[in-house]
Amino acid sequence: MTEPHWDDLTIFLAVARLASLSAAGRVLKLDPATVGRRIARLEAALDVPLFVKTPQGYSLATAGERLLAHGEAAEQAMRAGVEALTGPSESLSGQIRIGAPDGCANYLLPQVCAEILRENPDLDIHIVALPRVVNLSRREADMAITVSPPTAGRLLVQKVTDYHLHLVGARGYLEANPPIAAPADLKGHSVIGYIPDMIYDDELDYLSELGVTRVPLASNSVPVQLRLAAQGSGLCVAHDFALPTHPELEKVLAQQVAFARSFYLVRHQSDRKSERLNRFAARLGDGIRSEVARLERLT
């Protein structure tokens, strides 16, 4: 075994997380052929195959799985070293990427992140809004907001806050359709919700709790659902913190149909010693709690 080039470890981590030479190349600003050559050089130096090429991309071989944890530890050690050399700073800098479900990403994070940016002008914040769970193990983000605490993986999980949801409809829709005095009256109304086979977390399956079996208009996007309801296409379950953005929507059966859910902040366990990410996570959690409370008071 020859001495490996340690900068090839960065290439290895990118391919391991993205399962693609081209995707890793875009992140690293290298062409895919160069990424492939660097992986081949590392495999030759270690004298073991690190990846298996499949129709879905590059998956880790047994040796690659063993190397991954050590590679991430080396990556974190380098980050910690940089932080130790630069010393503590009053403000945050660099890039931090947050993954979040699109309801949170659309109605909470813009205000929260804008305020953090005003306090830290050298910081770059990327909001990844996805109607699915963000894959932290593939480094799609530095941290993620989820609606259920993950139970697998080497992750740090912190509950951020509870939030509330209610059934809503546009005033025009409610005036033009039969009155709703009890949950049984919903059978005569069109209900908007998630595409059933794209509900990625059981916590989002509100309509099954209401006994709704057919969803004539459906979307995997929360803002799309609310826009449909706002234009009078039917009722939908909406986050209370989103309602100030849609003043045309009114709560329906507010005392009888109500949901409570929670947001969790999830991070890589390997980042637990990063003072920079710890400070950002604390500020982000405080901001989300405050913004949920502020917006829910308006409804």
Side-chain angles (χ1 to χ4, degrees), residues 83 89-100 104 108-128 136 141-145 158 160 265-268 271-289:
E83 289 183 8
S89 172
E90 290 299 318
S91 63
L92 297 168
S93 61
Q95 176 187 297
I96 296 178
R97 182 169 292 184
I98 313 160
C104 175
L108 294 175
L109 291 187
Q111 304 92 290
V112 172
C113 291
E115 181 62 27
I116 295 174
L117 197 60
R118 281 192 288 271
E119 300 165 358
N120 302 274
D122 294 326
L123 185 64
D124 295 334
I125 303 174
H126 294 180
I127 301 172
V128 182
L136 289 181
D142 296 294
M143 57 189 69
I145 305 298
Q158 171 194 352
V160 176
L265 180 60
V266 184
R267 299 170 53 199
H268 305 276
D271 290 340
R272 66 189 182 279
K273 293 184 180 179
S274 170
E275 177 63 22
R276 171 175 168 271
L277 291 178
N278 288 342
R279 287 173 55 196
F280 181 85
R283 180 64 182 84
L284 179 67
D286 289 343
I288 291 173
R289 277 189 294 274

Side-chain angles (χ1 to χ4, degrees), residues 167 179-189 191 209-212 235 252-258:
L167 191 66
I180 305 171
D185 296 332
L186 297 176
K187 292 181 179 179
H189 289 265
V191 181
E209 296 185 35
L210 296 176
V212 175
L235 308 173
V252 176
L253 302 175
Q255 301 304 315
Q256 297 159 282
V257 179

Side-chain angles (χ1 to χ4, degrees), residues 167 186-187 189-199 204-221 224-225 228-229 233-237:
L167 191 66
L186 297 176
K187 292 181 179 179
H189 289 265
S190 175
V191 181
I192 300 158
Y194 284 99
I195 299 170
D197 62 358
M198 297 185 74
I199 297 175
L204 304 178
D205 195 8
Y206 317 113
L207 298 186
S208 66
E209 296 185 35
L210 296 176
V212 175
T213 57
R214 180 170 177 260
V215 185
L217 275 172
S219 174
N220 63 339
S221 166
V224 171
Q225 293 177 31
L228 287 168
S233 298
L235 308 173
C236 80
V237 174

